[in-house]
Amino acid sequence: MSISKTLDYELYYWSVPFRGQFVRAILAYAGKTWVEADDASIAKLMSGPTKNMPVPFMGPPLLINKKTSFAIAEMPAIVLYLGDTLGLMPASPELRAMTMKIVNDANDVIDEITLDGGRQMWTEKRWKEFIPRLQKWMSLWEEIGKRHGLRAGSGFLLGGKEPGIADIVTATLWSTLGDHFPKIKKLLEKTAPMTANLSQRVSALPPLVKLAAKAREDYGDDYCGGKIGTSMKKIIGT
């Protein structure tokens, strides 16, 4: 059997963690196999006519199910699709809605942490002014977890007996940020200690440990690309 027939998915995302790492983490946790397109292939697909796209999209991530040929773009939509098809979403409508709230909150956090994709660059002043807002974001996770039985050293963000999409997304968000930016890691531990502990516990699962090691090997200390990535390293990464 050829390698291509054994692959579960094809992922289009740039050679950095950022938004694509949420998709990678879910695939890794579920034990799925995937191949990633290189940056040149992504740029070529984006610049081409929409009729040639697997699904019309403006930018990655884009995921293709190799067994069904179904393609979907936009990180929250991909996460919902994977959560449903891989059995990682809660059963109740209420907890499903809460899960997607957390996914969208995570998407908003990384937009804000990159100043809306680099519309501005970080300065020491701008970072200091942003800290209270980032702490507010962290407190949202802490309060949601508290309301669903999360405790120091035990439990999951929306309850249950094993990690779900909400936990994988939470761990990916805060652990990836914390690994690249020590200031954020320390702030999370101070502001939302139960969330910090949950992120550590989920990130310590073997598939996610392996994924994090591969990310370091593949991307080095890059979190996102462009001038904003350089700005973040300079101001937040020290």
Side-chain angles (χ1 to χ4, degrees), residues 24-213:
R24 295 177 183 121
I26 295 168
L27 294 176
Y29 177 80
K32 298 301 178 179
T33 58
W34 73 95
V35 65
E36 299 200 21
D38 59 32
D39 289 359
S41 298
I42 296 170
K44 181 179 180 180
L45 185 62
M46 287 173 59
S47 63
T50 55
K51 67 180 181 180
N52 293 340
M53 295 176 175
V55 61
F57 79 117
M58 288 296 289
L62 180 152
L63 186 72
I64 303 172
N65 185 321
K66 299 292 286 184
K67 296 178 180 178
T68 66
S69 297
F70 175 73
I72 186 66
E74 296 291 346
M75 187 274 281
I78 295 171
V79 169
L80 174 62
Y81 169 70
L82 290 176
D84 276 341
T85 57
L86 299 177
L88 297 173
M89 288 288 283
S92 75
E94 293 79 10
L95 290 182
R96 289 170 62 81
M98 284 298 299
T99 295
M100 292 312 299
K101 177 208 182 304
I102 291 158
V103 173
N104 283 283
D105 281 349
N107 208 29
D108 287 344
V109 168
I110 62 174
D111 276 342
E112 291 194 11
I113 208 72
T114 55
L115 293 172
D116 194 19
R119 290 183 183 274
Q120 295 178 307
M121 297 296 116
W122 284 111
T123 62
E124 290 288 356
K125 179 177 183 293
R126 198 166 277 145
W127 169 248
K128 289 179 181 178
E129 291 173 347
F130 179 67
I131 288 175
R133 182 171 176 85
L134 182 56
Q135 288 180 299
K136 178 68 174 291
W137 275 116
M138 294 171 174
S139 73
L140 265 60
W141 262 266
E142 197 78 346
E143 181 61 26
I144 289 171
K146 182 179 179 181
R147 295 184 186 189
H148 292 87
L150 183 65
R151 298 292 180 264
S154 66
F156 297 103
L157 195 67
L158 297 179
K161 297 182 179 180
E162 58 187 16
I165 288 293
D167 306 289
I168 299 166
V169 167
T170 296
T172 303
L173 172 67
W174 297 116
S175 293
T176 307
L177 281 172
D179 287 346
H180 287 81
F181 308 108
K183 290 181 180 180
I184 294 179
K185 180 178 180 180
K186 291 181 180 179
L187 195 65
L188 181 69
E189 291 172 346
K190 175 183 177 182
T191 306
M194 292 190 302
T195 305
N197 180 270
L198 171 65
S199 298
Q200 292 170 0
R201 285 188 284 117
V202 175
S203 295
L205 296 171
L208 299 186
V209 171
K210 183 177 180 181
L211 180 68

Side-chain angles (χ1 to χ4, degrees), residues 14-16 18 39 114 117-118 120-121 222-234:
W14 308 116
S15 300
V16 290
F18 200 49
D39 289 359
T114 55
Q120 295 178 307
M121 297 296 116
D222 288 342
Y223 175 71
C224 61
K227 293 181 179 179
I228 186 60
T230 302
S231 171
M232 291 173 71
K233 289 179 185 178
K234 181 179 178 181

